[in-house]
Amino acid sequence: MARFNLRLRRNGRGAGDGLVTAEDAPGFAREPRTELFLLGVSNMVGEETFYEGAADRDARFRELVAAVAVADPDWFARFVPWLRTGAMLRSAAVVAALEGARAQVAAGIPGSRTIVDSALQRADEPGEALAYWLGRHGRTLPKPVKRGIADAAVRLYHERSLLKYDSDRNAVRFADVLDLTHPVARDERQGDLFRHALDRRHQRDNPLPASLTMLAARAALMALPVERRREVTDPAVLEAAGMTWEALAGWRQTTMDAPAWEAIIPSMGYLALLRNLRNFDQAGVGDAVAETVAAKLSDPGEVARSRVLPMRFLSAYNAAPSLRWAYPLERALQHALADVPALDGRTLILIDTSGSMTNAFSKDGTLRCWDAATVFGLALAARAREATVVSFSHTSAVFPAVAGESVLAAVRRFKQDGYFYGQGTETEKAVREHYAGHDRVVILTDEQAHWHGSADVTAAVPARVPVYTWNLAGYRAGHAPTAGNRHTFGGLSDAAFAMIPLIEAGSRERWPF
């Protein structure tokens, strides 16, 4: 059976096999790595999309992972860690690592232990990985899977992570990971932590080890009567007890007022601050504390360390009612977009605002695909020497530039002025109407173009002119071949767009990892 022993083919026409887009235009097949890459960077596992059900999409993802992990294990070993830390996708990376490991073990290919470890970057993820494997493949754990999860547990398990993530609401607890994978603690203190995690899971009445001072501090706070808990506003006390803002809100058993937020803000992480700007305003957090938050949000080092995707700044900008956050968020977005290239010549940027682009781009539903496309389309335009930005659906229109306008303000104007159309995907028509001797074309889309008589939506662009398609949905069929000067990518990040000048300079490296 040659299910996994596949030679990777070149991208080409799919019309001969009857492949079409979801809107019945001729579709173009992709070689397995490209199809996996595009699906991986857009796949929120278990989620429905506009044209593809969750079960079918997840099955396609697993099949591609199994094929590519065996056919090109070196590429796959680079792809999975990038998917988790570069594309910042948790579920897709975990599933890819585990299904890839399963296929590689069956094929006798080594190296999957490291891949599994690399996919687990947060302390709840060893348990997530184990829960996925148990639910799908049963209790028999291949050694690379077991050891990869154990390696991650040693790297990620500490007092703070135990307090934050080891919840009885989870089917697989820290102790279950320890029982099933048998990690070796890196030092005596972590050994104490492992024993305590097992004690609390199995309800053993053993005393708390003296080395676990954060757990002791949390226990002391939990022992306080509810009526006294509002009095605890010392940031150092909350930090010593590993208190998160979510834990603090539950512990206080009352509304988070300004003193509570001001006590916990110094220990909040970057993304937690970004998500709570509206809450800070509603509680009346003082200007002095707000200035510290703004300084952290706009600090280039903090932005880089946070690895927050640029679209998150749009979500925060839309949610925050106070103007005191607008400038820090704009600066933060500029730092997050630092690698978006400054393109020379003339660039045509086409932003798909059809109905299918209303599909969720973030799991919390605050961002849609067309939001992400607009952020990057306008950011690319802001850096380009001369850019024409077009919104297209059943119709199309040039979005006029405003000198000196920030990207976030431009995104808001794009929405307020009615450039989100929400109807059909007339890609070929938009290209034909707006291409006018540009030096390159960039299309941000889900590629599900309508049929208009041409087999290639980019046919109006001369073959010598590069066309870059950024696919935001990962559907199987593409709207154009990927060969010559036609390139298709996924994953909206500044690093992804940096590939444009590399390609035009003659680089043969097409992957962002």
Side-chain angles (χ1 to χ4, degrees):
M1 182 177 182
R3 180 175 183 181
F4 298 126
N5 187 21
L6 302 176
R7 184 169 60 87
L8 300 179
R9 65 184 186 279
R10 292 181 59 84
N11 297 340
R13 278 292 310 274
D17 299 323
L19 186 64
V20 295
T21 71
E23 295 294 342
D24 293 325
F28 294 84
R30 315 183 201 274
E31 59 97 350
R33 286 173 305 185
T34 303
E35 186 178 349
L36 175 59
F37 176 80
L38 293 175
L39 180 56
V41 297
S42 58
N43 192 22
M44 293 183 287
V45 175
E47 296 289 321
E48 302 284 335
T49 59
F50 197 88
Y51 291 116
E52 191 171 24
D56 291 342
R57 190 174 178 85
D58 290 348
R60 180 162 66 95
F61 185 60
R62 291 192 301 270
E63 290 167 3
L64 284 166
V65 164
V68 174
V70 173
D72 194 342
D74 292 337
W75 183 93
F76 188 74
R78 301 194 309 274
F79 170 64
V80 171
W82 175 86
L83 188 63
R84 179 63 185 89
T85 61
M88 297 299 292
L89 292 169
R90 298 180 58 226
S91 298
V94 170
V95 172
L98 295 177
E99 295 293 346
R102 184 170 181 261
Q104 289 182 341
V105 168
I109 296 173
S112 50
R113 172 180 180 173
T114 301
I115 295 173
V116 170
D117 179 30
S118 71
L120 309 178
Q121 295 295 321
R122 209 172 73 176
D124 58 335
E125 291 170 8
E128 289 281 336
L130 198 53
Y132 175 86
W133 186 275
L134 295 173
R136 184 155 197 89
H137 301 302
R139 293 183 64 87
T140 302
L141 290 172
K143 284 185 179 179
V145 173
K146 180 184 295 187
R147 290 172 179 170
I149 295 174
D151 292 343
V154 172
R155 178 166 45 83
L156 298 169
Y157 284 4
H158 46 70
E159 288 183 84
R160 188 179 297 275
S161 63
L162 184 80
L163 287 168
K164 184 171 183 177
Y165 294 117
D166 188 39
S167 169
D168 57 11
R169 294 188 298 272
N170 297 330
V172 177
R173 302 275 300 276
F174 276 36
D176 301 318
V177 173
L178 301 176
D179 276 334
L180 290 173
T181 67
H182 308 294
V184 177
R186 61 175 171 265
D187 54 33
E188 184 176 348
R189 186 176 182 183
Q190 190 177 55
D192 289 342
L193 179 74
F194 286 1
R195 284 187 289 275
H196 176 69
L198 291 165
D199 286 345
R200 67 188 245 165
R201 175 69 164 123
H202 300 299
Q203 300 181 341
R204 299 168 185 155
D205 193 21
N206 292 326
L208 183 69
S211 64
L212 305 182
T213 55
M214 182 174 286
L215 294 178
R218 175 67 71 88
L221 287 182
M222 296 303 296
L224 284 176
V226 173
E227 59 272 15
R228 289 190 53 198
R229 294 178 182 181
R230 288 176 59 96
E231 302 169 9
V232 181
T233 58
D234 184 344
V237 171
L238 299 179
E239 170 68 17
M243 193 72 80
T244 63
W245 74 267
E246 300 98 331
L248 180 63
W251 175 70
R252 284 166 52 89
Q253 297 185 28
T254 187
T255 304
M256 288 282 285
D257 54 17
W261 281 117
E262 290 172 2
I264 199 64
I265 279 173
S267 59
M268 289 175 69
Y270 192 94
L271 185 56
L273 293 173
L274 197 62
R275 287 174 169 170
N276 280 287
L277 299 181
R278 175 186 288 272
N279 290 331
F280 300 160
D281 287 339
Q282 290 177 341
V285 167
D287 288 340
V289 175
E291 286 176 6
T292 67
V293 174
K296 184 171 183 176
L297 291 179
S298 58
D299 180 85
E302 293 284 353
V303 173
R305 283 189 291 274
S306 74
R307 303 188 69 81
V308 170
L309 291 176
M311 286 72 71
R312 283 288 180 188
F313 299 107
L314 173 61
S315 181
Y317 183 75
N318 290 337
S322 171
L323 291 177
R324 65 184 177 179
W325 308 120
Y327 182 59
L329 289 174
E330 177 63 36
R331 290 185 62 196
L333 177 62
Q334 294 301 327
H335 295 319
L337 294 170
D339 288 337
V340 171
L343 299 175
D344 59 7
R346 299 176 62 231
T347 305
L348 174 61
I349 301 169
L350 297 159
I351 300 173
D352 180 354
T353 58
S354 63
S356 59
M357 289 287 283
T358 62
N359 202 68
F361 192 81
S362 61
K363 279 209 169 186
D364 61 10
T366 59
L367 292 173
R368 292 175 283 183
C369 285
W370 66 16
D371 293 318
T374 305
V375 167
F376 273 96
L378 295 178
L380 195 64
R383 298 289 182 91
R385 178 183 298 173
E386 184 180 346
T388 305
V389 177
V390 173
S391 173
F392 75 93
S393 176
H394 65 299
T395 187
S396 62
V398 173
F399 179 68
V402 173
E405 185 177 43
S406 72
V407 173
L408 289 177
V411 171
R412 177 165 289 183
R413 181 166 59 88
F414 195 97
K415 180 177 182 180
Q416 291 175 342
D417 290 358
Y419 284 86
F420 289 119
Y421 295 128
Q423 297 193 40
T425 312
E426 309 281 355
T427 314
E428 180 192 3
K429 178 182 174 184
V431 174
R432 190 171 60 249
E433 289 181 358
H434 296 281
Y435 178 75
H438 293 83
D439 296 295
R440 69 187 60 81
V441 179
V442 177
I443 309 175
L444 299 117
T445 178
D446 62 8
E447 292 195 83
Q448 299 311 292
H450 281 270
W451 164 244
H452 275 288
S454 172
D456 177 359
V457 301
T458 66
V461 181
R464 60 179 173 76
V465 176
V467 178
Y468 305 97
T469 297
W470 254 269
N471 182 299
L472 281 81
Y475 295 119
R476 182 186 177 202
H479 67 186
T482 303
N485 261 334
R486 303 298 185 259
H487 311 281
T488 304
F489 303 106
L492 287 179
S493 72
D494 52 356
F497 280 88
M499 289 187 286
I500 292 177
L502 291 178
I503 290 170
E504 294 182 4
S507 171
R508 301 180 69 86
E509 178 59 63
R510 303 290 177 85
W511 309 107
F513 48 81

Coordinates of all heavy atoms in Angstrom, one line a residue, residues 270-271 274-275 277 307-319 329 333 361-367 375 408:
Y270 N 1.8 40.1 28.4 CA 1.5 41.1 27.4 C 0.1 40.8 26.8 O -0.7 41.8 26.6 CB 2.6 41.0 26.3 CG 2.5 42.1 25.2 CD1 3.3 43.2 25.4 CD2 1.7 42.0 24.1 CE1 3.3 44.2 24.5 CE2 1.6 43.0 23.2 CZ 2.4 44.1 23.4 OH 2.4 45.1 22.4
L271 N -0.2 39.6 26.4 CA -1.5 39.3 25.8 C -2.6 39.6 26.7 O -3.7 40.0 26.3 CB -1.5 37.9 25.2 CG -2.8 37.5 24.5 CD1 -3.0 38.4 23.3 CD2 -2.6 36.0 24.0
L274 N -3.3 43.2 26.7 CA -4.0 43.6 25.4 C -5.4 43.2 25.4 O -6.3 44.0 24.9 CB -3.2 42.8 24.3 CG -3.4 43.3 22.9 CD1 -2.9 44.7 22.7 CD2 -2.7 42.4 21.9
R275 N -5.8 42.1 26.0 CA -7.2 41.6 26.0 C -8.1 42.4 27.0 O -9.3 42.3 26.9 CB -7.2 40.1 26.3 CG -6.8 39.3 25.1 CD -6.7 37.8 25.5 NE -6.5 36.9 24.4 CZ -6.2 35.6 24.5 NH1 -6.1 35.1 25.7 NH2 -6.1 34.9 23.4
L277 N -8.0 45.8 27.9 CA -8.0 47.3 27.9 C -9.4 47.9 28.2 O -9.5 48.8 28.9 CB -7.5 47.8 26.5 CG -6.0 47.4 26.2 CD1 -5.6 47.9 24.8 CD2 -5.0 47.8 27.3
R307 N 5.3 37.8 20.8 CA 4.9 37.0 19.6 C 3.4 37.1 19.3 O 2.8 36.2 18.7 CB 5.4 35.6 19.6 CG 6.9 35.4 19.9 CD 7.4 34.0 19.8 NE 7.3 33.6 18.4 CZ 8.2 33.8 17.4 NH1 9.3 34.5 17.7 NH2 8.1 33.3 16.2
V308 N 2.8 38.2 19.7 CA 1.4 38.4 19.4 C 1.2 38.7 17.9 O 2.0 39.5 17.3 CB 0.8 39.6 20.2 CG1 -0.6 40.0 19.8 CG2 0.8 39.2 21.7
L309 N 0.3 38.0 17.3 CA 0.0 38.3 15.9 C -0.5 39.7 15.6 O -1.3 40.2 16.5 CB -0.9 37.2 15.3 CG -0.4 35.8 15.2 CD1 -1.5 34.9 14.7 CD2 0.8 35.7 14.3
P310 N -0.1 40.3 14.5 CA -0.6 41.7 14.3 C -2.1 41.9 14.4 O -2.5 43.0 14.8 CB 0.0 42.0 12.9 CG 1.2 41.1 12.8 CD 0.8 39.9 13.5
M311 N -2.8 40.9 14.0 CA -4.3 41.1 14.0 C -4.9 41.3 15.4 O -5.9 41.9 15.6 CB -5.0 39.9 13.3 CG -4.8 39.9 11.8 SD -3.1 39.4 11.3 CE -3.1 37.7 11.7
R312 N -4.1 40.9 16.4 CA -4.6 41.1 17.8 C -4.7 42.5 18.1 O -5.5 42.9 19.0 CB -3.7 40.3 18.8 CG -3.9 38.8 18.8 CD -5.2 38.5 19.5 NE -5.4 37.0 19.6 CZ -6.5 36.5 20.0 NH1 -7.5 37.3 20.3 NH2 -6.6 35.2 20.0
F313 N -3.8 43.3 17.6 CA -3.9 44.8 17.8 C -5.1 45.4 17.3 O -5.7 46.3 17.8 CB -2.6 45.4 17.4 CG -1.3 44.9 18.0 CD1 -0.5 44.1 17.3 CD2 -1.1 45.2 19.3 CE1 0.7 43.6 17.9 CE2 0.1 44.7 20.0 CZ 0.9 43.9 19.2
L314 N -5.5 44.9 16.1 CA -6.8 45.4 15.6 C -8.0 45.0 16.5 O -8.9 45.8 16.7 CB -7.0 44.8 14.2 CG -8.4 45.1 13.5 CD1 -8.6 46.6 13.3 CD2 -8.5 44.4 12.2
S315 N -8.0 43.8 17.0 CA -9.0 43.3 17.9 C -9.1 44.2 19.1 O -10.1 44.7 19.6 CB -8.8 41.9 18.3 OG -9.8 41.4 19.1
A316 N -7.9 44.5 19.7 CA -7.8 45.4 20.9 C -8.3 46.8 20.5 O -9.0 47.4 21.3 CB -6.4 45.4 21.5
Y317 N -7.9 47.3 19.4 CA -8.2 48.6 19.0 C -9.7 48.8 18.8 O -10.4 49.8 19.2 CB -7.5 48.9 17.6 CG -7.7 50.3 17.0 CD1 -7.1 51.4 17.6 CD2 -8.5 50.5 15.9 CE1 -7.2 52.6 17.0 CE2 -8.7 51.7 15.3 CZ -8.0 52.8 15.9 OH -8.2 54.0 15.3
N318 N -10.4 47.7 18.3 CA -11.8 47.7 18.1 C -12.6 47.7 19.4 O -13.6 48.2 19.5 CB -12.3 46.6 17.2 CG -11.8 46.7 15.7 OD1 -11.6 47.8 15.3 ND2 -11.7 45.6 15.0
A319 N -12.0 47.0 20.4 CA -12.7 46.7 21.7 C -12.5 47.8 22.7 O -13.3 48.1 23.5 CB -12.2 45.4 22.3
L329 N -1.3 51.3 20.7 CA -1.6 50.1 19.9 C -1.1 50.3 18.4 O -0.6 49.3 17.8 CB -3.1 49.9 19.8 CG -3.8 49.4 21.1 CD1 -5.3 49.3 21.0 CD2 -3.2 48.0 21.5
L333 N 1.5 47.8 16.7 CA 1.3 47.2 15.4 C 2.5 47.4 14.5 O 2.9 46.5 13.8 CB 0.0 47.7 14.8 CG -0.3 47.2 13.4 CD1 -0.5 45.7 13.4 CD2 -1.6 47.8 12.9
F361 N -11.3 34.1 11.7 CA -9.9 34.0 11.6 C -9.3 33.7 13.0 O -8.2 33.1 13.1 CB -9.3 35.3 11.1 CG -7.8 35.2 10.7 CD1 -7.5 34.7 9.5 CD2 -6.8 35.6 11.5 CE1 -6.1 34.5 9.1 CE2 -5.5 35.5 11.2 CZ -5.1 35.0 9.9
S362 N -10.0 34.1 14.1 CA -9.5 33.8 15.4 C -10.6 33.0 16.1 O -11.8 33.2 15.8 CB -9.3 35.1 16.2 OG -10.5 35.9 16.3
K363 N -10.2 32.2 17.1 CA -11.1 31.3 17.7 C -12.2 32.0 18.5 O -13.3 31.5 18.7 CB -10.4 30.3 18.6 CG -9.8 29.1 17.8 CD -9.7 27.9 18.7 CE -9.4 26.6 17.8 NZ -9.5 25.4 18.6
D364 N -11.8 33.2 19.1 CA -12.8 33.9 19.9 C -13.8 34.7 19.0 O -14.7 35.3 19.6 CB -12.0 34.9 20.9 CG -11.2 35.9 20.2 OD1 -11.3 36.0 18.9 OD2 -10.4 36.6 20.9
G365 N -13.6 34.6 17.7 CA -14.6 35.3 16.8 C -14.5 36.8 16.7 O -15.3 37.4 16.0
T366 N -13.5 37.4 17.3 CA -13.3 38.8 17.2 C -12.7 39.3 15.9 O -12.8 40.5 15.6 CB -12.5 39.4 18.4 OG1 -11.1 38.8 18.3 CG2 -13.1 39.0 19.7
L367 N -12.1 38.4 15.2 CA -11.5 38.7 13.9 C -12.0 37.8 12.8 O -12.1 36.6 13.1 CB -10.0 38.7 14.0 CG -9.3 39.8 14.8 CD1 -7.8 39.4 14.9 CD2 -9.5 41.1 14.3
V375 N -5.7 44.2 7.3 CA -4.6 44.7 8.1 C -3.3 44.6 7.3 O -2.5 45.5 7.2 CB -4.4 43.9 9.4 CG1 -3.1 44.2 10.1 CG2 -5.5 44.3 10.4
L408 N -4.1 51.3 11.6 CA -5.3 51.0 12.3 C -6.4 52.0 11.9 O -7.6 51.6 11.8 CB -5.1 51.1 13.8 CG -4.3 49.9 14.4 CD1 -4.0 50.1 15.9 CD2 -5.0 48.6 14.1

